[in-house]
């Protein structure tokens, strides 16, 4: 390892965003260690050193920071999934226990070893359910987080961990940067199996269904969301880490779309005409969008990539996966 390289530790490197982040940091000249409980499912990690380990185990957390003085830690490891995993209630205890333990361990190890710069990935799921009951959500501002009332235990754990990292900042001077991601999507992410998010699910359903067929959508499909393409998410993470702004700050898009229209977008990219059947299923909030005033004010930047452009790239990759599997 050359000593003039900045050294970054990426927790959750075997996951969707962590996998892309390792590549991005490598492209920027970092030396990168990635850690995850599993290998990346869809490609070889770009990290210089990839450690398979369970971050719930404090001995593992100690070991990964013992031989190198890291300049930066990106903590993205979490027990998460799409609506099918988080909103049924069946995984609540496990989700809270696993993610909180990882964060407790890593905050402590980062502080103990003096890692200067820490990034923590929170989520739009921390925002109160009560202000997301309408489809035409005006955009969630960071200050809307309190009084708190997330609609999932996943969101409550994220809120707890935000507060814990901020407490480490206040009490120990740890430099933390917290982002609340809003539905990040793109290639090399989960696209089937129940943990996939709406853009990947729509691309898969459309890719799997022959012309004239039917796809299923949970609920009436009028629920709205915004989706941010992965490259813009990485731009936001890196800008936040280079700044002296702690956050929490939204990293999300403000291009609101209903799930029905997202499905139609995937159909038009594929050049297919399919009908939509609405079925019951876990839904989450009715409408959610990102207000990007704060990020623009603090970092002089807001994401600009259009949903359609990100969906084109994502559809192409998922259609290839569907073909390979067939
Ligand atoms: P992901 O599930 O692909 O990545 C998370 C990674 O954490 C996985 O590879 C998983 O194996 C790893 N992990 C879980 N438990 C672990 C453990 N005990 N030890 C080691 N590794 C463990 O998810 P992602 O989409 O890449 O999300 C990254 C982060 O961003 C997560 O913290 C997530 O909560 C947050 N986030 C993501 C989105 C999104 O739209 N993708 C939105 C809001 C917040």
């Amino acid at each position: 390892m050359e000593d003039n390289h900045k050294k970054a530790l990426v927790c959750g490197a075997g996951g969707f965003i962590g996998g892309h982040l390792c590549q991005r940091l490598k492209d920027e000249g970092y030396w990168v260690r990635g850690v995850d409980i599993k290998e990346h499912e869809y490609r070889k990690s770009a990290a210089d050193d990839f450690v398979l380990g369970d971050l719930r185990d404090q001995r593992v957390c100690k070991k990964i920071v013992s031989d190198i003085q890291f300049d930066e830690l990106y903590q993205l490891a979490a027990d998460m999934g799409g609506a099918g995993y988080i909103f049924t209630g069946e995984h609540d205890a496990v989700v809270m226990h696993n993610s909180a333990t990882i964060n407790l361990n890593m905050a402590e190890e980062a502080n103990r070893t003096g890692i200067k710069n820490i990034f923590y990935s929170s989520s739009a799921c921390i925002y109160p359910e009560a202000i997301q009951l309408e489809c035409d959500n005006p955009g969630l501002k960071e200050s809307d987080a309190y009084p708190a009332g997330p609609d999932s235990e996943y969101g409550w754990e994220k809120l707890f961990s935000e507060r814990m990292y901020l407490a480490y900042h206040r009490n120990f001077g740890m430099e933390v940067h917290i982002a609340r991601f809003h539905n990040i999507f793109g290639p090399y992410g989960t696209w089937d199996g129940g943990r996939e998010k709406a853009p990947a699910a729509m691309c898969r359903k459309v890719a799997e269904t022959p012309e004239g067929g039917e796809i299923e959508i949970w609920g009436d499909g009028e629920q709205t969301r915004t989706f941010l393409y992965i490259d813009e998410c990485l731009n936001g993470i890196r800008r936040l880490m280079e700044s002296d702004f702690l956050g929490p700050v939204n990293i999300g898009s403000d291009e609101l779309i209903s799930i029905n229209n997202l499905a139609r977008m995937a159909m038009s990219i594929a050049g297919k005409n399919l009908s939509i059947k609405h079925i019951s299923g876990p839904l989450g909030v009715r409408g959610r969008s990102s207000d990007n005033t704060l990020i623009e004010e603090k970092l002089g930047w807001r994401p600009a990539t259009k949903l359609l452009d990100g969906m084109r790239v994502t559809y192409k990759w998922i259609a290839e996966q569907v073909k390979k599997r067939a």
Side-chain angles (χ1 to χ4, degrees):
M1 187 202 323
E2 291 170 40
D3 264 339
N4 57 351
H5 286 223
K6 269 194 164 181
K7 295 165 200 76
L9 176 62
V10 178
C11 295
F16 167 54
I17 302 173
H20 281 277
L21 182 61
C22 288
Q23 183 65 60
R24 173 68 177 258
L25 291 168
K26 281 305 301 166
D27 293 346
E28 289 188 30
Y30 279 72
W31 186 91
V32 180
R33 170 172 288 165
V35 188
D36 204 294
I37 202 166
K38 64 164 179 67
E39 303 272 359
H40 199 287
E41 275 166 73
Y42 307 110
R43 60 175 169 176
K44 189 178 171 323
S45 173
D48 296 276
D49 180 34
F50 188 90
V51 179
L52 267 183
D54 186 342
L55 296 165
R56 290 169 300 183
D57 183 342
Q58 195 154 17
R59 289 166 302 181
V60 171
C61 301
K62 266 195 183 4
K63 194 153 183 267
I64 54 172
V65 295
S66 64
D67 55 340
I68 289 167
Q69 181 58 53
F70 285 102
D71 300 291
E72 299 179 1
L73 162 66
Y74 294 83
Q75 201 321 75
L76 295 112
D79 190 4
M80 65 167 290
Y85 185 74
I86 282 173
F87 295 114
T88 58
E90 288 162 30
H91 312 284
D92 286 351
V94 173
V95 165
M96 293 189 97
H97 174 86
N98 288 348
S99 296
T101 308
I102 294 169
N103 284 309
L104 288 162
N105 285 346
M106 286 315 300
E108 188 54 24
E109 288 308 315
N111 188 45
R112 191 180 60 78
T113 58
I115 301 179
K116 287 185 215 83
N117 221 355
I118 318 290
F119 175 85
Y120 173 58
S121 54
S122 182
S123 167
C125 289
I126 63 99
Y127 288 111
E129 184 174 16
I131 56 169
Q132 303 174 76
L133 300 176
E134 307 297 330
C135 293
D136 62 340
N137 189 286
L140 296 160
K141 291 192 290 295
E142 287 77 357
S143 55
D144 289 334
Y146 296 98
D151 67 335
S152 67
E153 301 301 355
Y154 165 80
W156 279 105
E157 187 282 328
K158 288 285 187 198
L159 208 50
F160 161 77
S161 290
E162 282 189 3
R163 299 187 69 93
M164 185 196 55
Y165 284 105
L166 290 171
Y168 269 79
H169 170 74
R170 287 195 306 277
N171 295 165
F172 304 124
M174 199 163 99
E175 196 178 320
V176 297
H177 304 274
I178 301 171
R180 294 176 180 156
F181 294 155
H182 291 242
N183 292 316
I184 315 301
F185 76 102
Y188 304 105
T190 308
W191 58 277
D192 69 350
R195 284 193 180 208
E196 68 279 13
K197 302 281 182 51
M202 293 309 136
C203 290
R204 174 180 51 77
K205 288 176 191 195
V206 169
E208 281 172 350
T209 310
E211 171 61 25
E214 182 180 82
I215 61 166
E216 291 181 342
I217 286 185
W218 288 339
D220 64 6
E222 292 304 317
Q223 64 272 29
T224 58
R225 291 291 184 278
T226 63
F227 301 98
L228 183 70
Y229 187 59
I230 181 67
D231 288 0
E232 289 287 39
C233 173
L234 300 175
N235 292 338
I237 296 174
R238 292 291 301 124
R239 278 171 186 266
L240 185 57
M241 278 295 263
E242 304 271 273
S243 79
D244 55 9
F245 183 45
L246 271 66
V249 67
N250 291 329
I251 294 188
S253 156
D254 53 10
E255 191 182 339
L256 198 69
I257 189 167
S258 71
I259 303 301
N260 285 333
N261 283 339
L262 184 67
R264 289 182 194 117
M265 186 182 272
M267 289 179 213
S268 85
I269 292 168
K272 288 185 186 179
N273 198 1
L274 311 174
S275 54
I276 297 174
K277 182 182 176 193
H278 294 110
I279 58 164
S280 66
L283 294 175
V285 296
R286 190 70 178 149
R288 170 177 288 160
S289 179
S290 173
D291 182 307
N292 291 335
T293 312
L294 185 64
I295 198 160
E296 183 151 34
E297 187 188 307
K298 297 290 181 182
L299 306 182
W301 173 87
R302 60 162 66 209
T305 304
K306 290 272 155 228
L307 176 62
L308 180 60
D309 293 331
M311 280 291 279
R312 282 203 182 104
V313 183
T314 308
Y315 182 82
K316 185 169 178 284
W317 181 77
I318 292 180
E320 281 163 18
Q321 308 311 303
V322 168
K323 209 181 249 173
K324 270 191 221 158
R325 192 182 57 183

